[in-house]
Amino acid sequence: MNLVTLDFESAYGKHPVTKENITLRRLTTEEYVRHPEFKIHCVGIKHNDEPAYYVDTLDGIEPVEQALYGVDWDSTALIAHHAHFDGAILNWLLGLKPRFWFDTMLMANALYPWMSSSLARVAKFLEIGEKGHALLDTKDKWDLDP
């Protein structure tokens, strides 16, 4: 069984044209992901024990599709922190269905119910590194600088 870890990053906040506030705080996950203005900025990908890498959409969605359509999802388990969100993008937008789903956020909720299950908190608690902050200032940005 192959393991693929994914983390999608998407545009959120005030849309530059419609001025609509498109966020997961205002919309359900389904409304957000299926919104006509939904946009993937990039996806972090890790195959088994290989180094992680990311693919962006600066030149369109095709590089993301190419990276993910090449995976044999019938024999792959998806690992994601909040797989509900990443899995929705993978399935609803890209039509891909992993054989198994592992959600590290839900695992953290079950194992450590007394603490926040945010990726930053869980990584610090388990001493496995720090969550990056490179995309922290992307609110209201539908187009990112390279």
Side-chain angles (χ1 to χ4, degrees):
M1 177 73 48
N2 290 311
L3 298 175
V4 172
T5 306
L6 292 181
D7 183 22
F8 282 98
E9 300 298 337
S10 59
Y12 71 102
K14 187 183 282 189
H15 189 272
V17 176
T18 68
K19 306 302 182 204
E20 182 180 359
N21 193 11
I22 304 169
T23 69
L24 282 169
R25 291 184 189 251
R26 298 184 38 84
L27 303 170
T28 66
T29 300
E30 182 167 6
E31 291 170 331
Y32 179 74
V33 171
R34 293 185 188 268
H35 194 284
E37 301 299 340
F38 180 82
K39 181 178 181 183
I40 297 169
H41 279 316
C42 63
V43 61
I45 305 170
K46 184 174 184 342
H47 296 271
N48 298 309
D49 292 330
E50 297 173 18
Y53 63 97
Y54 83 98
V55 179
D56 63 52
T57 61
L58 292 173
D59 295 320
I61 191 71
E62 293 81 14
V64 169
E65 292 173 337
Q66 194 172 39
L68 296 176
Y69 289 160
V71 174
D72 177 9
W73 291 103
D74 289 335
S75 64
T76 298
L78 170 72
I79 302 170
H81 196 80
H82 195 195
H84 172 89
F85 175 72
D86 298 291
I89 296 169
L90 192 69
N91 184 259
W92 297 340
L93 298 185
L94 301 172
L96 300 171
K97 297 178 186 178
R99 182 169 183 135
F100 294 103
W101 305 76
F102 295 106
D103 189 330
T104 57
M105 185 176 79
L106 294 180
M107 291 176 193
N109 282 335
L111 293 170
Y112 315 110
W114 65 88
M115 70 177 212
S116 164
S117 61
S118 73
L119 183 56
R121 179 66 185 116
V122 172
K124 183 175 181 177
F125 178 77
L126 295 176
E127 299 177 350
I128 56 173
E130 270 191 47
K131 179 183 184 307
H133 301 287
L135 295 171
L136 198 56
D137 64 349
T138 60
K139 184 177 180 190
D140 302 328
K141 296 181 182 175
W142 255 250
D143 295 304
L144 299 181
D145 295 329

